[in-house]
Amino acid sequence: MQRDEFRVFYPVSTRWMDNDVYGHVNNVTYYSYFDSTINRYLIEEGGLDIHKAPVVGFVVSSSCQFRRPVAYPDALSVGLRVLKLGNSSVTYELGIFRESDSEASAVGQVVHVFVDREENRSVSIPAPIRRCLEAVAAD
């Protein structure tokens, strides 16, 4: 995956504690980077109120392909785009890049299903969130 395939980027600062005994960022930490990127985008661009919104996104699936290690103190950016947008679900693709690299060090996919917070049932993606997701949809 190349940097120019993604629509939005957010910086990520690696932390000393992110490294594992092998000297690179532990695989579970990549999922934290993905989750933070998605939620930041939904909050900033879609107006999601994570504390009060009646409709929220639940992660129902996630995966990651690790292509080359990153380690503290690498400066990273996480690219985000939408691969598939359904009525109540969205599939995101994310790329983790060292600041100077055009090729992703890792590529992940995350699926959100939007649910009514009180009833815990899937519902249509709210219009403001749908618009922001459409804005970063892959060609």
Side-chain angles (χ1 to χ4, degrees), residues 46-76:
L48 177 64
D49 181 339
I50 59 172
H51 300 292
K52 298 178 185 171
V55 174
V56 294
F58 285 176
V59 174
V60 298
S61 176
S62 60
S63 64
C64 186
Q65 295 176 353
F66 304 97
R67 300 190 172 177
R68 68 175 58 92
V70 297
Y72 176 84
D74 286 338
L76 306 174

Side-chain angles (χ1 to χ4, degrees), residues 45-138:
E45 302 301 325
L48 177 64
D49 181 339
I50 59 172
H51 300 292
K52 298 178 185 171
V55 174
V56 294
F58 285 176
V59 174
V60 298
S61 176
S62 60
S63 64
C64 186
Q65 295 176 353
F66 304 97
R67 300 190 172 177
R68 68 175 58 92
V70 297
Y72 176 84
D74 286 338
L76 306 174
S77 59
V78 181
L80 170 70
R81 69 181 187 166
V82 167
L83 287 183
K84 182 179 176 188
L85 186 58
N87 179 55
S88 63
S89 67
V90 57
T91 302
Y92 306 95
E93 186 167 52
L94 301 107
I96 295 182
F97 297 86
R98 285 192 193 99
E99 284 299 326
S100 60
D101 290 349
S102 60
E103 189 171 334
S105 295
V107 177
Q109 287 190 7
V110 174
V111 178
H112 261 167
V113 171
F114 286 83
V115 300
D116 179 285
R117 187 189 297 260
E118 288 186 17
E119 295 181 17
N120 205 27
R121 290 191 347 217
S122 66
V123 295
S124 296
I125 299 170
I129 293 176
R130 176 172 288 284
R131 281 191 297 274
C132 83
L133 295 173
E134 288 171 344
V136 295

Side-chain angles (χ1 to χ4, degrees), residues 8-12 31-43 77-80 94-96:
V8 173
F9 290 88
Y10 290 109
V12 172
Y31 290 95
S32 173
Y33 298 159
F34 295 159
D35 199 37
S36 293
T37 297
I38 292 166
N39 282 292
R40 181 173 175 183
Y41 183 73
L42 293 176
I43 291 165
S77 59
V78 181
L80 170 70
L94 301 107
I96 295 182

